C-alpha cells in the first residue's frame, strides 16, 4: 500500500469540529444519550423509553415468580397445585398489567394491597357457590363497581379489578370455603415475592426512561439527516427518500412530545428550571430538523449545482454522525454551505431558479447553526441544575397514555363535563360508565350462561375490555376487529404449539403460557391484536390440560362468539345510554386545538408587551402539538378507503391543522425574544393579536354551538403594514427574528382562515384600521423602530482546527498495463484510521461523497482499517465517524487516468 501525500487546505479545515476545552466532559449529557450510532438504536426509535420492552419484561418476571411461588405454596400448604398456581398467577398477571408506578413506595403499596380485596371475594364466591342467579348478579355488580371506582384513582381502580377477578377465579376454580385461609396466604406470599423480584429486576427508574427517550430523539434526528442526504442524491429515488423523511419527522415529533410528557411525571425532573430548559432546547432542535427536512424537499425539485450539493451532503452527513459532545462541529460545515450558496447567488440572474436554490441552501446552513446551538445548550445542563435557570419553571402541557401522547380521552371528558353541570345530570360522569358496564353485563350474562354455564364469564370479559380505554363507537368497533382477528390467529398458533408439545408436558406448557403473555404485553402498545394473539396462545395451552384435541375447535369458537357478543352489546349500550356522538367529541377536540392556539397568541402578545412576564411560548406551542394528537386520533377512519371513495373534508381539515401546527412551532421559537417596540408598532402589534384572538374565539363559538357566529378577520394586511414599518430598521439578529415572527404569524392566520372557512365562517380579507395611518405617523414609527431594534452583540467565531486534504497517490502502472476485467469496477481505496489515543486503530464508519454531492460508498472501520470500493475519477470527500471522535472530513482526488485497482489513503484523527 502506498500512503498518499498530504497538503494543508483552508477549505478542508473548516469542516473539522472544534476540539472541546478541558473540563467540558463534566458538562456533557450522559454518553448513552449523545454517543455515536449503535446497532440497537432502531429499538429505541421504535420504542421511545423502552416502555413496550419494559412491559414485556415486567410480565415475564412477575408471571414466572407468581407461578413458581404459587406452586411452592400449594405444596407447602397441601393445596391442589392448580389452585395455588391460579391464585398466585393472578397476582403476577395483575401486577404486570395494572401496576406501573414509577416510585418504589407506590409500587409496594399497590402490589401488597392486591391480595386483600382478591381474597375477600374468593371467600364470598365460595359461600355463594350453587346459587347461580346470585353468582351472576354479583359478577355484574362487581364489573359495574370496577368502572365506578376507576374515577377515584389508580388504587381504587385496582381494587375494583381485583374484586372482579377474585369472583371470576372463585367460580371458575370452585375453591371451597374451608380453603379460603390458605388461598389468602398463597396470594399474600405471591404478591410479596412479585414485589421483591420487581424491585430487583424491574426497579422503576423514571430518570433513566427519560434518558432513553432523549436517545430516541437523537436517533430520529439522525434518520432525518440521513434521509436528507439521500434526497439530495441526484440518482436516488427521491420520492422514496421524501416518504422516509416524512416518517422520520413524524417519529421525531412523537418522541419530542413524549419527552415533554415524561418531564411532568414524578421523580423525573426534580428541578423545574432544568426541565424547562431541556424542553426549550429540544423544541428548538426539533424545529431545526423539521426546517432542514422541508428545505431539502424543496431543493429536490430544483437544479442544484454540484459543488453546492456536495457541501450540503457533507454537512448533513456530519450532522448525522456528530456526537452531541461535538455539536459545535456543525458550524464550520454550515459556514461552507453558506459560502457555496453565496457563490451560486452571485452567478444567478434575476428570476433564475438558482437564486431560490441559494436561498434554500442558506436556510439549511442557518438551521445547522441553530441545531448546533440547541444541542450545545442542552449539553450544558448535564446532570445538575443550570447556572442561569429558566425564567419560568416547567409546567406540563402534554398528557401521556401508555407512554404515548394522549388521544380522545381528554375531549370526551370535556364534552361530558360540559353537558352535566346542572341538577341531576351532575351525577352522570360518575354513573355513565358503570351503567354501560352493568346493563351490558346484565344482557350478556344470561345469553352466555345458556351457551356454556361453566364459561359464561367470557362474555363479561368482552364487555370489560370494550369499555376500558375506548371513548367513541369507532374505537370500540376497531377494538372488536382487533379482538376477533387476534383470537383467530392466536387459536391457530396455539393449537399448532399444543400439537407440537402434546399433553402431559407441564414445564413446556408453562413456558409457552409465560412466553405468550410476555410477547402479548410487549405488543399491546403497538396493536391490541398482538396482545390478543399472545393471550389466546397462552389460554390454548391452559385449555389443553382439560380439553381433548377434538373439542378445542368448538371451545375456541365458543370463546370467539362470547367475546364478540360482549363487545357488540357493550358498544350498543355505550351508544344508547347517555350517548356522546363521535362527531361531538371530534368537534370538542378541534375546539381544544383552537383554544390552544388562542393561548399561544395571548402568550405572544404578553411576551412582547411585558418582557419580564412569566411566559412559556414553546410550552404553549407544545400544547398545540398535544391538541393536534387528539384531533388526529379521532379523525382516523374505522376502515381506510381509497381517497376517491370517501369524503375529503376531514382530510382537508386535519391537513390544515397540521400545517398550522408547524407555523405555531416556528412562531413560538422566533418570537421568544426581549424587545421593546415603539408605541406605534406596539399598538399595531397589539391590534394584530387582538384581532386574531377575536377570530379564534368566533371559531371556538362556532365549534361549540354548531352554528357559525361572527367571522374570521384576516390580519395579513396589518402584518404587512407592521413589516413595512419595521423593514426600515437596521438589520441584525433581532430584526431577523421579528420578521420571521411576523411571517409565521401571517401564515398561521392564513391557514386557520382556510380551516374557519371549511367550518362555515365568513372570512373577511380587509382588516379594520387599529392605529393611525398618516404619513407623519408612519415616519415616526419607522424612526422609533430604528432605535428599538438595536442589533445584538455578535459572538466570536469559533476557531477551526486543521484537517488535511489529500490527493490519492496511485501505484505506478506496470508494463503489462491495467488489469483486465476491472476497467469498470472503479477504484478501491483502503487505508488506516488512527489517533494518538488509539495507536492500534479506531473503530467507526466511513462515508464517501463525490463532487456532485452523491453518497457513492460507505463501509465500516474495523481495528483501524477500512476499504471502500467503486470510486470513479474525480474529487471526493471522505467522512470518518469514529466511535470516540467527532466526524472527520478529508478530501481525496482520484486521477482521471486511474479507473481501476487500489490506492491507499491513511487518516489520522
Amino acid at each position: 500500500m502506498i500512503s498518499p501525500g498530504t497538503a494543508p487546505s483552508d477549505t478542508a479545515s473548516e469542516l473539522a469540529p472544534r476540539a472541546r476545552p478541558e473540563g467540558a466532559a463534566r458538562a456533557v449529557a450522559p454518553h448513552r444519550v449523545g454517543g455515536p450510532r449503535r446497532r440497537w438504536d432502531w429499538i429505541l426509535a421504535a420504542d421511545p423509553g423502552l416502555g413496550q420492552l419494559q412491559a414485556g419484561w415486567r410480565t415475564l418476571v412477575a408471571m414466572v415468580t407468581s407461578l413458581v411461588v404459587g406452586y411452592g405454596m400449594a405444596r407447602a400448604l397441601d393445596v391442589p397445585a392448580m389452585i395455588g398456581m391460579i391464585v398466585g398467577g393472578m397476582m403476577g398477571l395483575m401486577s404486570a398489567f395494572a401496576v406501573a408506578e414509577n416510585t418504589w413506595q407506590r409500587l409496594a403499596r399497590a402490589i401488597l394491597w392486591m391480595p386483600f380485596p382478591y381474597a375477600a371475594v374468593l371467600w364470598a364466591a365460595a359461600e355463594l357457590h350453587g346459587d347461580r342467579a346470585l353468582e351472576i348478579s354479583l359478577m355484574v355488580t362487581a364489573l359495574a363497581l370496577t368502572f365506578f371506582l376507576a374515577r377515584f384513582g389508580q388504587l381504587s381502580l385496582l381494587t375494583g379489578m381485583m374484586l372482579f377477578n377474585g369472583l371470576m377465579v372463585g367460580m371458575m376454580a370452585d375453591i371451597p370455603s374451608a380453603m379460603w385461609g390458605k388461598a389468602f396466604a398463597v396470594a399474600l406470599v405471591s404478591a410479596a415475592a412479585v414485589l421483591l423480584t420487581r424491585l430487583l429486576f424491574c426497579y422503576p427508574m423514571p430518570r433513566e426512561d427519560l434518558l432513553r427517550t432523549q436517545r430516541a430523539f437523537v436517533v430520529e434526528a439522525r434518520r432525518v439527516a440521513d434521509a436528507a442526504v439521500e434526497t439530495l442524491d441526484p440518482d436516488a429515488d427521491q420520492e422514496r427518500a421524501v416518504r422516509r423523511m416524512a416518517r422520520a419527522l413524524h417519529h421525531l415529533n412523537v418522541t419530542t412530545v413524549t419527552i415533554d410528557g415524561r418531564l411532568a411525571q414524578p421523580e423525573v425532573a426534580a428541578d423545574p428550571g432544568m426541565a424547562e430548559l431541556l424542553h426549550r432546547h429540544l423544541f428548538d432542535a426539533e424545529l431545526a430538523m423539521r426546517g432542514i427536512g422541508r428545505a431539502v424537499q424543496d431543493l429536490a425539485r430544483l437544479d442544484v449545482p454540484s459543488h453546492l450539493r456536495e457541501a450540503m451532503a457533507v454537512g448533513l452527513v456530519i450532522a448525522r454522525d456528530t456526537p452531541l459532545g461535538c455539536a459545535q462541529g456543525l458550524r464550520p460545515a454550515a459556514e461552507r454551505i453558506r459560502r457555496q450558496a453565496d457563490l451560486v447567488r452571485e452567478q444567478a440572474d434575476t428570476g433564475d431558479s438558482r437564486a431560490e436554490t441559494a436561498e434554500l441552501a442558506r436556510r439549511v446552513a442557518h438551521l445547522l447553526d441553530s441545531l448546533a446551538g440547541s444541542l450545545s445548550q442542552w449539553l450544558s445542563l448535564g446532570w445538575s441544575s443550570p447556572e442561569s435557570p429558566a425564567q419560568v419553571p416547567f409546567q406540563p402541557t402534554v398528557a401521556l397514555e401508555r407512554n404515548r401522547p394522549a388521544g380522545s380521552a381528554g375531549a370526551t371528558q370535556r364534552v361530558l363535563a360540559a353537558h352535566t353541570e346542572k341538577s341531576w345530570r351532575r351525577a352522570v360522569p360518575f354513573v355513565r360508565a358503570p351503567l354501560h358496564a352493568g346493563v351490558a353485563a346484565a344482557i350478556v350474562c344470561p345469553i352466555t350462561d345458556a351457551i356454556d354455564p361453566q364459561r359464561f364469564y367470557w362474555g363479561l370479559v368482552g364487555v370489560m375490555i370494550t369499555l376500558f380505554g375506548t371513548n367513541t363507537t369507532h374505537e370500540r368497533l376497531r377494538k372488536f376487529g382487533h379482538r376477533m382477528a387476534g383470537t383467530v390467529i392466536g387459536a391457530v398458533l396455539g393449537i399448532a404449539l399444543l400439537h407440537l408439545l402434546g399433553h402431559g408436558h407441564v414445564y413446556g406448557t408453562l413456558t409457552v403460557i409465560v412466553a405468550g403473555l410476555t410477547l402479548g404485553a410487549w405488543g399491546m402498545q403497538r396493536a391490541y391484536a398482538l396482545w390478543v394473539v399472545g393471550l389466546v396462545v397462552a389460554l390454548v395451552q391452559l385449555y389443553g390440560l382439560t380439553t381433548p384435541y377434538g373439542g378445542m375447535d368448538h371451545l375456541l369458537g365458543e370463546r370467539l362468539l362470547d367475546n364478540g357478543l360482549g363487545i357488540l352489546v357493550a358498544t350498543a349500550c355505550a351508544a344508547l345510554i347517555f350517548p356522546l356522538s363521535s362527531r361531538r367529541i371530534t368537534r370538542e377536540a378541534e375546539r381544544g386545538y383552537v383554544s390552544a392556539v388562542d393561548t399561544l397568541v395571548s402568550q405572544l402578545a404578553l411576551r412582547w408587551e411585558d418582557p419580564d412576564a412569566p411566559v412559556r411560548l414553546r410550552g404553549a406551542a407544545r400544547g398545540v402539538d398535544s391538541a393536534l394528537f387528539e384531533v388526529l386520533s379521532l379523525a382516523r377512519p374505522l376502515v381506510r378507503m381509497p381517497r376517491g371513495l370517501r369524503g375529503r373534508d376531514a382530510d382537508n381539515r386535519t391537513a390544515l391543522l397540521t400545517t398550522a401546527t408547524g407555523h405555531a412551532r416556528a412562531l413560538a421559537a422566533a418570537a421568544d425574544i426581549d424587545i421593546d417596540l415603539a408605541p406605534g408598532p406596539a399598538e399595531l402589534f397589539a391590534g394584530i393579536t387582538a384581532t386574531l384572538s377575536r377570530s379564534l374565539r368566533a371559531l371556538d363559538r362556532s365549534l361549540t354551538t354548531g352554528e357559525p357566529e361572527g367571522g374570521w378577520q384576516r390580519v395579513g394586511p396589518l402584518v404587512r403594514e407592521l413589516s413595512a414599518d419595521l423593514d426600515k430598521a437596521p438589520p441584525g439578529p433581532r430584526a431577523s427574528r421579528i420578521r420571521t415572527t411576523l411571517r409565521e404569524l401571517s401564515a398561521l392566520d392564513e391557514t386557520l382562515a382556510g380551516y374557519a372557512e371549511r367550518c362555515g365562517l365568513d372570512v373577511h380579507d380587509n382588516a379594520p384600521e387599529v392605529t393611525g395611518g398618516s404619513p407623519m405617523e408612519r415616519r415616526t414609527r419607522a424612526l422609533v423602530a430604528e432605535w428599538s431594534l438595536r442589533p445584538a452583540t455578535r459572538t466570536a467565531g469559533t476557531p477551526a482546527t486543521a484537517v488535511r486534504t489529500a490527493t490519492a497517490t496511485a501505484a505506478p502502472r506496470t508494463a503489462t498495463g491495467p488489469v483486465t476485467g476491472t476497467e469498470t469496477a472503479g477504484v478501491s481505496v483502503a487505508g488506516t484510521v488512527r489517533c494518538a489515543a488509539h495507536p492500534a486503530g479506531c473503530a467507526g464508519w466511513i462515508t464517501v461523497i463525490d463532487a456532485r454531492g452523491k453518497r457513492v460508498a460507505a463501509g465500516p472501520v474495523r481495528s483501524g482499517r477500512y476499504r471502500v470500493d467503486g470510486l470513479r475519477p474525480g474529487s471526493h470527500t471522505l467522512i470518518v465517524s469514529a466511535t470516540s471522535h467527532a466526524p472527520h472530513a478529508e478530501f481525496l482526488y482520484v486521477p482521471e487516468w486511474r479507473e481501476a485497482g487500489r490506492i491507499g489513503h491513511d487518516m489520522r484523527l
Side-chain angles (χ1 to χ4, degrees):
M1 183 189 71
I2 301 177
S3 301
T6 61
S9 170
D10 295 336
T11 305
S13 66
E14 295 173 4
L15 299 179
R18 185 181 60 174
R20 282 186 300 184
E22 294 184 4
R26 295 190 299 270
V28 299
H31 186 70
R32 74 189 72 178
V33 175
R37 291 182 297 171
R38 306 187 184 99
R39 294 179 180 177
W40 57 87
D41 276 345
W42 66 272
I43 300 176
L44 280 173
D47 183 14
L50 298 184
Q52 298 168 24
L53 282 177
Q54 286 178 1
W57 172 245
R58 188 167 61 236
T59 303
L60 177 63
V61 170
M63 287 303 300
V64 170
T65 302
S66 60
L67 291 174
V68 170
V69 173
Y71 179 78
M73 288 294 294
R75 296 288 298 272
L77 298 176
D78 194 20
V79 174
M82 183 61 69
I83 291 180
M85 295 176 71
I86 289 177
V87 172
M90 186 58 70
M91 296 296 103
L93 185 66
M94 292 307 297
S95 71
F97 285 97
V99 182
E101 303 289 354
N102 64 351
T103 64
W104 72 267
Q105 297 94 335
R106 295 176 181 175
L107 188 69
R109 181 183 63 177
I111 292 179
L112 294 180
W113 168 246
M114 289 192 305
F116 293 94
Y118 182 71
V121 293
L122 281 179
W123 174 82
E127 290 294 326
L128 298 175
H129 188 66
D131 191 336
R132 194 64 173 172
L134 191 56
E135 283 182 341
I136 293 178
S137 300
L138 196 59
M139 288 286 288
V140 172
T141 303
L143 184 59
L145 181 63
T146 300
F147 282 89
F148 177 76
L149 293 176
R151 293 190 59 87
F152 301 100
Q154 186 66 27
L155 194 60
S156 298
L157 172 62
L158 183 62
T159 301
M161 296 178 71
M162 296 310 298
L163 292 174
F164 177 79
N165 290 331
L167 285 172
M168 185 170 64
V169 169
M171 282 183 270
M172 179 177 65
D174 192 15
I175 301 176
S177 57
M179 202 177 290
W180 173 82
K182 295 180 179 180
F184 174 68
V186 172
L188 188 61
V189 174
S190 298
V194 168
L195 174 62
L196 179 63
T197 53
R198 282 193 58 172
L199 291 177
L200 285 175
F201 301 108
C202 314
Y203 192 85
M205 296 183 289
R207 173 65 180 172
E208 299 295 318
D209 294 340
L210 176 65
L211 294 177
R212 295 188 190 100
T213 313
Q214 292 173 335
R215 176 67 182 185
F217 172 88
V218 174
V219 173
E220 292 296 350
R222 286 172 174 166
R223 284 187 175 181
V224 173
D226 194 56
V229 174
E230 185 178 356
T231 305
L232 286 173
D233 187 345
D235 299 327
D237 185 348
Q238 294 182 347
E239 291 185 2
R240 174 182 172 275
V242 168
R243 289 195 302 270
R244 178 186 170 203
M245 185 187 300
R247 289 194 300 269
L249 287 172
H250 172 71
H251 293 156
L252 183 72
N253 179 244
V254 171
T255 303
T256 313
V257 174
T258 303
I259 291 174
D260 265 21
R262 286 186 180 274
L263 286 173
Q265 295 177 349
E267 306 296 330
V268 173
D271 185 352
M274 185 173 66
E276 173 66 12
L277 289 176
L278 175 62
H279 151 76
R280 291 184 186 182
H281 300 326
L282 289 184
F283 183 96
D284 291 344
E286 182 205 357
L287 191 66
M289 293 306 305
R290 295 184 73 88
I292 290 172
R294 288 195 298 270
V296 170
Q297 288 176 7
D298 292 337
L299 283 166
R301 59 180 174 81
L302 299 173
D303 181 20
V304 182
S306 60
H307 58 89
L308 180 58
R309 189 188 299 272
E310 180 191 7
M312 285 191 292
V314 171
L316 290 170
V317 169
I318 290 177
R320 181 196 67 189
D321 295 337
T322 297
L324 292 184
C326 306
Q328 289 293 341
L330 297 177
R331 297 191 186 278
E335 181 60 30
R336 182 168 183 260
I337 295 173
R338 195 176 290 113
R339 281 215 311 273
Q340 295 292 338
D342 289 341
L343 292 176
V344 173
R345 186 168 57 179
E346 291 172 1
Q347 299 170 1
D349 299 329
T350 305
D352 190 357
S353 63
R354 292 206 168 192
E356 181 182 0
T357 301
E359 288 303 318
L360 288 171
R362 286 183 60 84
R363 176 163 177 75
V364 170
H366 170 73
L367 291 170
L368 284 175
D369 272 335
S370 177
L371 181 65
S374 300
L375 295 180
S376 298
Q377 292 174 31
W378 176 18
L379 291 178
S380 68
L381 298 179
W383 285 94
S384 59
S385 300
E387 296 179 0
S388 55
Q391 186 179 11
V392 291
F394 178 81
Q395 299 171 11
T397 55
V398 176
L400 297 181
E401 290 179 356
R402 293 181 299 179
N403 297 318
R404 289 286 181 169
S408 59
T412 304
Q413 293 300 323
R414 293 196 300 271
V415 171
L416 189 60
H419 294 81
T420 57
E421 295 179 349
K422 298 179 180 178
S423 66
W424 63 271
R425 296 186 67 86
R426 285 179 291 185
V428 170
F430 295 91
V431 302
R432 181 174 178 269
L435 275 176
H436 293 165
V439 173
I443 296 173
V444 169
C445 278
I447 301 175
T448 55
D449 185 60
I451 296 173
D452 188 347
Q454 293 184 346
R455 300 179 177 88
F456 76 97
Y457 56 85
W458 282 344
L460 288 177
V461 171
V463 172
M464 182 177 66
I465 61 101
T466 301
L467 298 177
F468 265 123
T470 59
N471 300 287
T472 66
T473 302
H474 278 195
E475 291 178 349
R476 296 183 184 106
L477 292 178
R478 194 177 294 117
K479 201 167 192 177
F480 170 77
H482 279 252
R483 186 79 178 186
M484 297 300 100
T487 300
V488 172
I489 297 172
V492 173
L493 294 176
I495 292 176
L497 289 172
L498 186 61
H499 278 279
L500 182 64
L501 290 174
H503 288 289
H505 296 82
V506 178
Y507 293 110
T509 300
L510 290 177
T511 301
V512 174
I513 291 174
V514 172
L517 293 175
T518 300
L519 294 175
W522 169 80
M524 179 183 288
Q525 296 183 26
R526 303 191 68 83
Y528 181 69
L530 295 178
W531 154 244
V532 179
V533 170
L535 174 65
V536 174
V537 167
L539 290 178
V540 167
Q541 312 311 310
L542 187 62
Y543 299 154
L545 298 177
T546 57
T547 304
Y549 290 130
M552 191 64 67
D553 294 342
H554 173 75
L555 184 67
L556 293 173
E558 184 181 307
R559 174 184 171 82
L560 186 68
L561 175 63
D562 289 349
N563 272 184
L565 181 64
I567 294 174
L568 293 178
V569 171
T571 301
C573 289
L576 296 173
I577 302 173
F578 299 121
L580 294 178
S581 69
S582 299
R583 178 180 176 83
R584 183 186 299 176
I585 297 174
T586 301
R587 280 300 181 102
E588 177 58 35
E590 294 178 358
R591 180 174 173 265
Y593 181 91
V594 172
S595 177
V597 176
D598 190 20
T599 300
L600 173 63
V601 174
S602 301
Q603 294 271 291
L604 171 61
L606 182 60
R607 180 71 174 89
W608 281 23
E609 178 185 352
D610 182 9
D612 296 327
V615 172
R616 299 182 64 244
L617 281 179
R618 290 172 177 82
R622 191 57 76 203
V624 176
D625 253 329
S626 181
L628 179 65
F629 275 101
E630 277 193 8
V631 175
L632 294 178
S633 68
L634 288 162
R636 185 173 52 165
L638 179 63
V639 179
R640 294 193 178 275
M641 301 291 291
R643 188 174 293 272
L645 299 181
R646 58 186 173 92
R648 300 190 61 179
D649 182 62
D651 289 339
N652 290 335
R653 287 158 67 105
T654 54
L656 286 168
L657 294 183
T658 303
T659 303
T661 303
H663 293 305
R665 295 190 200 105
L667 173 65
D672 198 8
I673 53 175
D674 293 333
I675 183 170
D676 294 323
L677 288 175
E683 184 181 356
L684 184 56
F685 183 76
I688 291 171
T689 54
T691 301
L692 185 54
S693 291
R694 283 196 299 271
S695 298
L696 288 167
R697 287 162 193 164
L699 180 56
D700 181 273
R701 289 192 299 271
S702 175
L703 291 171
T704 302
T705 63
E707 296 293 335
E709 298 182 15
W712 186 277
Q713 198 79 37
R714 279 194 174 102
V715 297
L718 295 176
V719 173
R720 286 191 292 271
E721 180 181 349
L722 180 58
S723 297
D725 289 341
L726 299 181
D727 279 344
K728 302 178 178 65
R734 292 207 304 174
S736 176
R737 291 186 65 173
I738 289 175
R739 294 187 186 95
T740 302
T741 299
L742 297 179
R743 183 173 62 251
E744 296 297 339
L745 186 62
S746 179
L748 177 64
D749 168 70
E750 187 66 28
T751 306
L752 291 177
Y755 173 77
E757 190 172 14
R758 281 166 174 78
C759 292
L761 266 66
D762 294 329
V763 177
H764 306 287
D765 292 330
N766 297 320
E769 289 290 339
V770 296
T771 185
S774 67
M776 181 176 293
E777 289 174 338
R778 293 177 182 274
R779 285 195 298 271
T780 302
R781 288 201 298 270
L783 291 173
V784 176
E786 290 184 4
W787 62 262
S788 66
L789 294 176
R790 295 186 297 271
T793 305
R794 297 183 181 273
T795 57
T798 58
T801 57
V803 229
R804 302 182 301 167
T805 180
T807 301
T809 305
R813 286 178 288 185
T814 63
T816 57
V819 180
T820 60
T822 60
E823 290 81 5
T824 60
V827 175
S828 297
V829 178
T832 60
V833 178
R834 290 188 172 86
C835 69
H838 305 91
C842 302
W845 191 263
I846 190 164
T847 306
V848 183
I849 295 173
D850 67 8
R852 299 174 60 201
K854 177 179 173 60
R855 183 168 44 183
V856 295
V861 181
R862 295 190 179 94
S863 301
R865 303 189 66 83
Y866 76 94
R867 173 177 172 173
V868 289
D869 301 319
L871 271 62
R872 295 298 179 186
S875 59
H876 301 77
T877 303
L878 275 64
I879 304 172
V880 182
S881 304
T883 305
S884 305
H885 303 276
H888 175 85
E890 290 191 11
F891 293 101
L892 174 114
Y893 180 75
V894 178
E896 292 290 339
W897 56 267
R898 188 67 182 182
E899 296 181 354
R902 177 183 297 183
I903 58 178
H905 182 70
D906 295 335
M907 289 181 278
R908 189 166 186 83
L909 306 184

